[in-house]
Coordinates of all heavy atoms in Angstrom, one line a residue:
M473 N -2.6 -8.7 11.4 CA -1.9 -7.6 10.8 C -2.6 -7.3 9.4 O -2.7 -6.2 9.1 CB -0.4 -7.8 10.7 CG 0.3 -6.7 9.9 SD 2.0 -7.0 9.6 CE 2.7 -6.4 11.1
R474 N -3.0 -8.4 8.7 CA -3.6 -8.2 7.4 C -4.8 -7.3 7.4 O -4.9 -6.4 6.6 CB -3.9 -9.6 6.8 CG -4.4 -9.4 5.3 CD -4.7 -10.7 4.8 NE -5.2 -10.7 3.3 CZ -4.4 -10.8 2.3 NH1 -3.1 -11.0 2.4 NH2 -4.9 -10.5 1.2
K475 N -5.6 -7.5 8.4 CA -6.8 -6.6 8.5 C -6.5 -5.2 8.7 O -7.1 -4.3 8.2 CB -7.8 -7.2 9.7 CG -9.0 -6.3 10.0 CD -10.0 -6.4 8.9 CE -11.3 -5.8 9.3 NZ -11.7 -4.8 8.4
Q476 N -5.5 -5.0 9.6 CA -5.1 -3.6 9.9 C -4.5 -2.9 8.6 O -4.7 -1.7 8.3 CB -4.0 -3.5 11.0 CG -4.4 -3.8 12.3 CD -3.3 -4.0 13.3 OE1 -2.5 -4.8 13.1 NE2 -3.4 -3.2 14.3
V477 N -3.8 -3.7 7.8 CA -3.2 -3.2 6.5 C -4.4 -2.9 5.6 O -4.4 -1.8 4.9 CB -2.2 -4.2 5.9 CG1 -1.9 -3.8 4.4 CG2 -1.0 -4.3 6.7
E478 N -5.4 -3.8 5.5 CA -6.5 -3.6 4.6 C -7.3 -2.2 5.0 O -7.7 -1.5 4.1 CB -7.5 -4.7 4.7 CG -6.9 -6.0 3.9 CD -7.8 -7.2 4.1 OE1 -8.6 -7.2 4.9 OE2 -7.5 -8.2 3.3
D479 N -7.4 -2.0 6.3 CA -8.1 -0.8 6.8 C -7.3 0.4 6.4 O -7.9 1.4 6.0 CB -8.3 -0.9 8.3 CG -9.3 -2.0 8.7 OD1 -10.1 -2.5 7.8 OD2 -9.4 -2.3 9.8
S480 N -6.0 0.3 6.5 CA -5.2 1.5 6.2 C -5.2 1.8 4.7 O -5.4 3.0 4.3 CB -3.7 1.3 6.7 OG -3.0 2.4 6.5
L481 N -5.1 0.8 3.9 CA -5.2 0.9 2.5 C -6.6 1.5 2.0 O -6.6 2.3 1.1 CB -5.0 -0.4 1.8 CG -3.6 -0.9 1.7 CD1 -3.5 -2.3 1.1 CD2 -2.7 0.0 1.1
A482 N -7.6 1.1 2.7 CA -9.0 1.7 2.5 C -8.9 3.2 2.6 O -9.7 4.0 2.0 CB -10.0 1.1 3.4
K483 N -8.1 3.8 3.5 CA -7.9 5.2 3.8 C -7.2 5.9 2.6 O -7.5 7.0 2.3 CB -7.2 5.6 5.1 CG -8.0 5.1 6.3 CD -7.1 5.2 7.5 CE -7.7 4.7 8.8 NZ -6.9 4.7 9.9
I484 N -6.3 5.1 2.0 CA -5.4 5.7 0.9 C -6.1 5.6 -0.4 O -5.9 6.4 -1.3 CB -4.1 4.9 0.9 CG1 -3.4 5.0 2.3 CG2 -3.2 5.3 -0.3 CD1 -2.2 4.0 2.4
R485 N -6.9 4.5 -0.6 CA -7.5 4.2 -1.9 C -8.2 5.4 -2.5 O -8.0 5.6 -3.8 CB -8.4 3.0 -1.6 CG -9.0 2.5 -3.0 CD -9.5 1.1 -2.8 NE -8.5 0.1 -2.7 CZ -8.3 -0.7 -1.7 NH1 -9.1 -0.6 -0.7 NH2 -7.3 -1.6 -1.7
P486 N -9.0 6.2 -1.8 CA -9.7 7.3 -2.6 C -8.8 8.3 -3.2 O -9.1 8.8 -4.3 CB -10.5 8.0 -1.4 CG -10.7 6.9 -0.5 CD -9.4 6.0 -0.4
M487 N -7.6 8.5 -2.7 CA -6.7 9.5 -3.3 C -6.2 8.9 -4.5 O -5.9 9.6 -5.5 CB -5.6 9.8 -2.3 CG -6.0 10.6 -1.1 SD -4.7 11.0 0.0 CE -4.5 9.4 0.9
L488 N -5.9 7.6 -4.5 CA -5.3 6.9 -5.7 C -6.4 6.8 -6.8 O -6.2 7.1 -8.0 CB -4.9 5.6 -5.4 CG -3.6 5.5 -4.4 CD1 -3.4 4.0 -4.1 CD2 -2.4 6.1 -5.0
Q489 N -7.6 6.6 -6.4 CA -8.7 6.4 -7.3 C -9.0 7.8 -7.9 O -9.5 7.9 -9.2 CB -9.9 5.8 -6.7 CG -9.7 4.4 -6.3 CD -10.9 3.8 -5.5 OE1 -11.6 4.5 -4.8 NE2 -11.0 2.5 -5.5
A490 N -8.9 8.8 -7.3 CA -9.1 10.2 -7.8 C -8.2 10.4 -9.0 O -8.5 11.2 -9.9 CB -8.9 11.3 -6.7
D491 N -7.0 9.8 -9.0 CA -6.1 10.0 -10.1 C -6.2 8.8 -11.2 O -5.4 8.7 -12.0 CB -4.7 10.1 -9.7 CG -4.4 11.4 -9.0 OD1 -5.1 12.4 -9.3 OD2 -3.5 11.5 -8.1
G492 N -7.2 8.0 -11.1 CA -7.3 6.9 -12.0 C -6.7 5.6 -11.6 O -6.5 4.8 -12.5
G493 N -6.2 5.5 -10.5 CA -5.3 4.4 -10.0 C -6.1 3.6 -8.9 O -7.2 3.9 -8.5
D494 N -5.4 2.6 -8.4 CA -5.8 1.8 -7.2 C -4.7 1.0 -6.7 O -3.7 0.9 -7.3 CB -7.0 1.0 -7.7 CG -7.9 0.6 -6.5 OD1 -7.6 0.9 -5.3 OD2 -9.0 0.0 -6.8
V495 N -4.9 0.5 -5.5 CA -3.9 -0.4 -4.9 C -4.6 -1.7 -4.4 O -5.7 -1.6 -3.9 CB -3.1 0.3 -3.8 CG1 -4.0 0.7 -2.7 CG2 -2.0 -0.5 -3.3
E496 N -4.0 -2.8 -4.6 CA -4.5 -4.1 -4.2 C -3.5 -4.7 -3.3 O -2.4 -4.8 -3.6 CB -4.7 -5.0 -5.5 CG -5.1 -6.4 -5.2 CD -5.0 -7.3 -6.4 OE1 -4.8 -6.8 -7.5 OE2 -5.2 -8.5 -6.2
L497 N -4.0 -5.3 -2.2 CA -3.2 -6.0 -1.2 C -3.1 -7.4 -1.8 O -4.0 -8.1 -2.0 CB -3.9 -6.1 0.1 CG -3.1 -6.8 1.2 CD1 -1.6 -6.3 1.4 CD2 -3.9 -6.8 2.5
V498 N -1.8 -7.8 -1.9 CA -1.5 -9.1 -2.4 C -1.2 -10.1 -1.2 O -1.7 -11.2 -1.0 CB -0.3 -9.2 -3.3 CG1 0.1 -10.6 -3.8 CG2 -0.6 -8.3 -4.6
D499 N -0.3 -9.6 -0.3 CA 0.1 -10.5 0.8 C 0.8 -9.7 1.9 O 1.3 -8.5 1.6 CB 1.1 -11.6 0.3 CG 1.3 -12.7 1.3 OD1 0.5 -12.9 2.2 OD2 2.3 -13.5 1.1
V500 N 0.8 -10.2 3.1 CA 1.6 -9.5 4.2 C 2.4 -10.8 4.8 O 1.8 -11.7 5.2 CB 0.6 -9.0 5.3 CG1 1.4 -8.4 6.4 CG2 -0.2 -7.9 4.7
E501 N 3.7 -10.6 4.8 CA 4.5 -11.7 5.4 C 5.7 -11.1 6.1 O 6.5 -10.2 5.6 CB 5.1 -12.5 4.2 CG 5.8 -13.7 4.6 CD 6.2 -14.6 3.4 OE1 5.3 -14.8 2.5 OE2 7.3 -15.0 3.3
D502 N 5.9 -11.4 7.3 CA 7.0 -10.9 8.2 C 7.2 -9.4 8.1 O 8.3 -8.9 8.1 CB 8.3 -11.6 7.8 CG 8.2 -13.1 8.0 OD1 7.5 -13.6 9.0 OD2 8.8 -13.9 7.2
G503 N 6.1 -8.7 8.1 CA 6.2 -7.2 8.2 C 6.4 -6.5 6.8 O 6.5 -5.3 6.6
V504 N 6.5 -7.4 5.7 CA 6.6 -6.8 4.4 C 5.2 -7.0 3.7 O 4.6 -8.1 3.6 CB 7.6 -7.7 3.6 CG1 7.7 -7.2 2.1 CG2 8.9 -7.7 4.2
V505 N 4.7 -5.9 3.3 CA 3.4 -5.7 2.7 C 3.6 -5.7 1.1 O 4.3 -4.9 0.6 CB 2.7 -4.4 3.1 CG1 1.3 -4.4 2.4 CG2 2.5 -4.4 4.6
K506 N 2.9 -6.7 0.5 CA 3.1 -6.7 -1.0 C 1.8 -6.3 -1.6 O 0.7 -6.7 -1.3 CB 3.3 -8.2 -1.4 CG 4.6 -8.7 -0.8 CD 4.8 -10.2 -1.3 CE 6.1 -10.7 -0.6 NZ 6.3 -12.2 -0.9
V507 N 1.9 -5.3 -2.5 CA 0.8 -4.7 -3.1 C 1.0 -4.7 -4.6 O 2.1 -4.8 -5.1 CB 0.5 -3.3 -2.6 CG1 0.2 -3.2 -1.1 CG2 1.7 -2.3 -3.0
R508 N -0.1 -4.5 -5.3 CA -0.1 -4.3 -6.8 C -0.8 -3.0 -7.1 O -2.0 -2.8 -6.7 CB -0.9 -5.5 -7.4 CG -0.9 -5.4 -9.0 CD -1.6 -6.7 -9.5 NE -0.6 -7.9 -9.2 CZ -1.1 -8.9 -8.5 NH1 -2.3 -9.1 -8.1 NH2 -0.2 -10.0 -8.3

Side-chain angles (χ1 to χ4, degrees):
M473 180 184 269
R474 185 178 180 96
K475 174 69 171 129
Q476 291 174 301
V477 169
E478 288 173 347
D479 291 346
S480 185
L481 288 176
K483 297 174 189 174
I484 299 166
R485 190 167 280 118
M487 292 178 283
L488 297 173
Q489 290 173 337
D491 287 332
D494 205 351
V495 63
E496 171 191 355
L497 178 61
V498 176
D499 196 15
V500 179
E501 187 176 315
D502 297 325
V504 178
V505 178
K506 297 177 184 178
V507 298
R508 181 174 294 121

